[in-house]
Amino acid sequence: LFCIEEEAVVYSETATIEIAVESLKCIAKSFVVTLGPKGALVFDGNNAYSIQPFETNAVDTNGAGDLFAGAFLYGITHGKSFEEAGTLASLAASKVVSKFGPRLSAEQASELHLQVFGLNSLSDRDGFQNPSRPASVANTLPRQQFSGSILGF
């Protein structure tokens, strides 16, 4: 489940995000609640994590939520924990709101990928050409299922 803070509060028919999170735990196996400039809350089914925002000068929030969701799911499908995926998503969203337009440039996506995954290039992004990288969900699925992601990886 992905939602923004207001949706979580309305859906759970509560007055605060703290109560909404507890309510969502009863109906969703896992979830992400984005909090805009305050970061996000993620729940992996066992633990809840507060994801801190990255400092940025926001000029255009168009696409921030979509990029957050795409980056989070990219992280999860590449062996990252919910907390790590949330941090990746927060960083990606901070980058996209610092410019006009809903997407990162190829250069920005490459820099983000290098910063988070520490790979030298995007060609070994799925571990196919990097046998020292631990196996992940992505390594068990056909490569084409990951092409054209919102991050450009």
Side-chain angles (χ1 to χ4, degrees):
L1 172 69
F2 277 89
C3 59
I4 63 172
E5 182 175 9
E6 182 181 355
E7 292 168 335
V9 170
V10 170
Y11 183 77
S12 61
E13 299 178 341
T14 62
T16 68
I17 189 61
E18 294 80 15
I19 298 170
V21 165
E22 293 307 311
S23 176
L24 291 175
K25 287 178 182 179
C26 297
I27 59 172
K29 291 181 181 180
S30 60
F31 59 84
V32 175
V33 179
T34 59
L35 307 172
K38 298 181 289 184
L41 299 168
V42 299
F43 178 66
D44 66 7
N46 295 309
N47 299 299
Y49 302 97
S50 177
I51 306 300
Q52 297 304 306
F54 284 82
E55 201 168 309
T56 189
N57 180 26
V59 296
D60 181 7
T61 60
N62 185 27
D66 291 337
L67 188 59
F68 186 101
F72 181 85
L73 293 171
Y74 182 86
I76 292 298
T77 61
H78 285 74
K80 299 297 181 186
S81 68
F82 269 54
E83 185 175 26
E84 292 169 321
T87 300
L88 167 63
S90 182
L91 179 60
S94 76
K95 300 291 185 190
V96 80
V97 300
S98 68
K99 62 176 204 57
F100 287 99
R103 291 193 176 100
L104 297 177
S105 69
E107 182 179 317
Q108 288 173 311
S110 292
E111 289 171 4
L112 179 65
H113 198 274
L114 179 61
Q115 183 177 352
V116 174
F117 289 94
L119 302 176
N120 292 326
S121 73
L122 293 179
S123 66
D124 62 355
R125 69 179 184 249
D126 293 326
F128 290 99
Q129 298 172 5
N130 185 355
S132 65
R133 185 166 168 217
S136 69
V137 173
N139 292 346
T140 63
L141 298 174
R143 187 175 189 84
Q144 65 273 13
Q145 290 188 13
F146 291 98
S147 64
S149 79
I150 194 167
L151 286 174
F153 300 142

